[in-house]
Amino acid sequence: MQTMSDDVFGKIVDIESEYKDRGYAQGKEAGKDAGAVEGRELGLEHGFDIGKDLGFYQGWVQTWLDAATTQPGLVPDRAQKKLLAIKAVIDSVPATNIEGAHFDDRLKEIRQKFKVASAMLGVNVSAEGSTAARIIAENVTKLPDFDDTVNIWVYEEIVEGKKLTEIINTQHENV
């Protein structure tokens, strides 16, 4: 026989169970939403880093391949083959996030090949941009329509009592 007090406690237990189930369902849904947002942000951040690295390596490789074309003998044959191997790996990286694409493994492979190619070219890995810029600059100066005037926009500052533009124009250095 059920008493009134048993019935009241049963309702309390049922309400508690109902709220627990409802809270669980709401928490699960909120967790999915929060996970999607966090995953999207992480994907954007990681994707940007991958794109930035790939862009650097692609530009570096193309610069050296162009230098090999414009200045025969500048880039040894073995280095050209290594550059083409790097280019092939870069070209194999999908532009969209495909499951199993192994972006990190491909970047690791590109970095390893990059170090080998840098050594073959006699380029200090930390100064690759400067070396490539120097080679490009040397080639450009040989073109008939080359203009040696370089216009740059500078936020005018005073550095050690002198205008920054004055330092750049006299010392040819952006300090």
Side-chain angles (χ1 to χ4, degrees):
M1 173 171 164
Q2 189 175 17
T3 66
M4 186 176 241
S5 63
D6 289 339
D7 190 45
V8 170
F9 289 120
K11 288 181 181 180
I12 290 173
V13 170
D14 288 345
I15 289 173
E16 182 180 348
S17 179
E18 181 185 332
Y19 281 134
K20 182 186 87 146
D21 292 345
R22 194 181 309 163
Y24 176 80
Q26 289 173 345
K28 187 174 177 182
E29 194 60 37
K32 272 202 281 187
D33 292 344
V37 169
E38 185 178 338
R40 193 174 307 116
E41 288 174 2
L42 179 64
L44 283 171
E45 182 179 316
H46 193 62
F48 176 80
D49 289 340
I50 289 171
K52 182 181 68 164
D53 288 350
L54 286 174
F56 166 77
Y57 293 119
Q58 187 172 25
W60 186 84
V61 165
Q62 195 58 56
T63 299
W64 279 103
L65 289 173
D66 290 348
T69 303
T70 59
Q71 289 188 352
L74 176 69
V75 180
D77 290 341
R78 287 183 59 223
Q80 286 184 47
K81 288 178 184 174
K82 186 59 72 176
L83 291 167
L84 291 171
I86 296 169
K87 186 176 182 332
V89 177
I90 292 169
D91 291 344
S92 75
V93 176
T96 57
N97 190 11
I98 298 171
E99 192 170 333
H102 305 290
F103 291 104
D104 291 332
D105 293 342
R106 290 182 188 196
L107 275 175
K108 185 177 179 183
E109 182 181 356
I110 291 168
R111 285 185 188 108
Q112 290 170 340
K113 290 178 185 304
F114 168 77
K115 287 179 183 178
V116 172
S118 295
M120 291 173 140
L121 293 165
V123 177
N124 181 342
V125 175
S126 64
E128 64 280 342
S130 299
T131 303
R134 181 185 53 79
I135 291 169
I136 292 168
E138 288 172 359
N139 287 331
V140 168
T141 59
K142 297 174 186 172
L143 297 174
D145 56 347
F146 171 71
D147 182 359
D148 63 353
T149 302
V150 177
N151 295 316
I152 62 172
W153 294 95
V154 179
Y155 177 76
E156 189 66 84
E157 299 176 52
I158 302 298
V159 179
E160 296 178 5
K162 293 182 180 178
K163 290 182 177 182
L164 180 58
T165 51
E166 182 182 326
I167 294 170
I168 292 171
N169 287 329
T170 57
Q171 298 177 11
H172 307 290
E173 183 178 345
N174 186 357
V175 293

